[in-house]
Amino acid sequence: MQNILIADSGSTKTAWCIIEGENRQFFYTQGINPYQQSEDDIIAELQRSLVPEVRNAEAIYFYGAGCTAEKAPVVASALRRSISTEADIFVDSDMLGAARSLCGRESGVVCILGTGSNSCLYDGTELVSNVSPLGYVLGDEGSGAYIGKRLVGNCLKRQFSEEVCRLFSEEIQLSTASIVNKVYREPFPNRFLASLSPFCSRHRDLPEIHAFLVDCFREFFIRNVALYGRKELPVHFIGSVAWNYRQELEEAAAQLGFRIGKIEQDPLDGLIQYHACK
């Protein structure tokens, strides 16, 4: 069996697994995103944290945020220059990583629900269709940022009950001016908005919060999954939001006639199964 190195990377963290026969070694480094980092920046990070862990990899499979067809060669070149290995190097999107992790070699609709959201139609080999998520301003329905955006808007405009608005104010402890500043003037407003969504988890027993969450996920199905026109296929999910709110996610799917398949927190275990058990 080959010695294989597998990576699942976001902008914040990269999870790695070295497979050597029956042995598995896991470790984590800073996130790698070629839209946010130059090739030299990526090389510096790899040399600092990855190279000491890698010895005889014969194949490297790297799935990451920002690894589009345009940017994937940047990461591949950085890996080649950092590791100085003759390994076969494969770099592709986190969406393909999610599809291979959740579906293996079967067809399905695959979705990512984390800080942002994304989805695709997968035929067991490749991604055949993708509804653009459009980001947290225009889309990203069902994501942490989307839930946070709707939550704070509803609270500040008093669309929730007095009890919910009071709880939100007490727990968040930010003025309206501070919130507006974080959203419109500070960097990474999507991360800030996503950081508000755990409020819903803490109060999901309140009927209006439960209904609100279900509606957020209904929007995801209607504006993304439904456009694939494949209701006969299972809909699989990966990501912290899908995992933490799976009850509400399943309820939204049932209301709209979709069948939920797997729901996982992250793709690494599935990717190990995919690549190590060929």
Side-chain angles (χ1 to χ4, degrees):
M1 180 183 290
Q2 278 188 313
N3 293 339
I4 299 172
L5 176 63
I6 301 173
D8 166 52
S9 184
S11 298
T12 303
K13 179 182 72 175
T14 304
W16 303 82
C17 179
I18 300 173
I19 302 173
E20 297 180 297
E22 298 300 318
N23 297 320
R24 308 284 189 268
Q25 179 185 352
F26 297 89
F27 58 98
Y28 299 88
T29 66
Q30 293 295 312
I32 292 170
N33 187 323
Y35 273 97
Q36 299 174 357
Q37 299 162 285
S38 69
E39 183 172 335
D40 286 342
D41 290 336
I42 295 171
I43 289 170
E45 173 58 32
L46 291 172
Q47 290 180 335
R48 179 172 57 253
S49 56
L50 174 64
V51 173
E53 302 289 346
V54 179
R55 295 293 180 266
N56 302 307
E58 298 169 63
I60 300 172
Y61 299 94
F62 185 101
Y63 300 93
C67 291
T68 61
E70 175 190 3
K71 291 293 187 178
V74 174
V75 178
S77 176
L79 285 165
R80 178 72 67 197
R81 290 171 60 191
S82 301
I83 299 173
S84 299
T85 175
E86 295 303 313
D88 295 326
I89 296 177
F90 173 93
V91 179
D92 214 302
S93 67
D94 55 348
M95 193 74 256
L96 181 62
R100 287 180 166 179
S101 174
L102 292 166
C103 295
R105 292 167 179 80
E106 303 294 329
S107 298
V109 175
V110 178
C111 309
I112 298 173
L113 291 183
T115 299
S117 67
N118 204 350
S119 64
C120 74
L121 178 63
Y122 177 68
D123 67 359
T125 302
E126 60 185 359
L127 311 185
V128 295
S129 183
N130 170 247
V131 176
S132 176
L134 295 178
Y136 75 99
V137 175
L138 299 177
D140 270 0
E141 297 85 5
S143 70
Y146 179 82
I147 292 170
K149 179 175 70 172
R150 285 189 57 183
L151 170 69
V152 71
N154 282 3
C155 287
L156 295 182
K157 288 182 177 261
R158 301 292 171 182
Q159 299 301 298
F160 284 132
S161 68
E162 183 177 342
E163 178 190 9
V164 169
C165 293
R166 176 183 57 78
L167 286 170
F168 181 80
S169 178
E170 289 175 354
E171 293 182 21
I172 301 303
Q173 294 190 330
L174 290 171
S175 67
T176 299
S178 295
I179 291 171
V180 169
N181 188 67
K182 287 181 177 294
V183 171
Y184 291 104
R185 295 185 178 89
E186 294 186 10
F188 304 113
N190 57 327
R191 295 182 188 176
F192 165 70
L193 290 169
S195 75
L196 303 177
S197 65
F199 172 88
C200 294
S201 181
R202 294 192 295 271
H203 301 288
R204 65 202 304 174
D205 56 323
L206 296 174
E208 62 186 308
I209 293 297
H210 175 81
F212 166 75
L213 287 167
V214 172
D215 188 61
C216 286
F217 296 128
R218 281 176 56 91
E219 285 289 290
F220 176 79
F221 282 107
I222 291 167
R223 294 170 64 86
N224 297 276
V225 177
L227 300 185
Y228 298 115
R230 297 293 301 273
K231 272 198 170 182
E232 79 281 6
L233 291 177
V235 185
H236 304 287
F237 287 87
I238 217 153
S240 58
V241 170
W243 178 260
N244 290 326
Y245 295 117
R246 53 194 178 277
Q247 177 184 342
E248 292 82 3
L249 186 63
E250 290 171 349
E251 186 173 328
Q255 289 180 7
L256 296 169
F258 292 101
R259 176 167 58 95
I260 297 289
K262 297 177 183 176
I263 301 177
E264 301 288 349
Q265 282 187 288
D266 63 68
L268 195 55
D269 285 346
L271 287 172
I272 292 169
Q273 182 75 12
Y274 181 88
H275 287 293
C277 301
K278 284 187 175 181

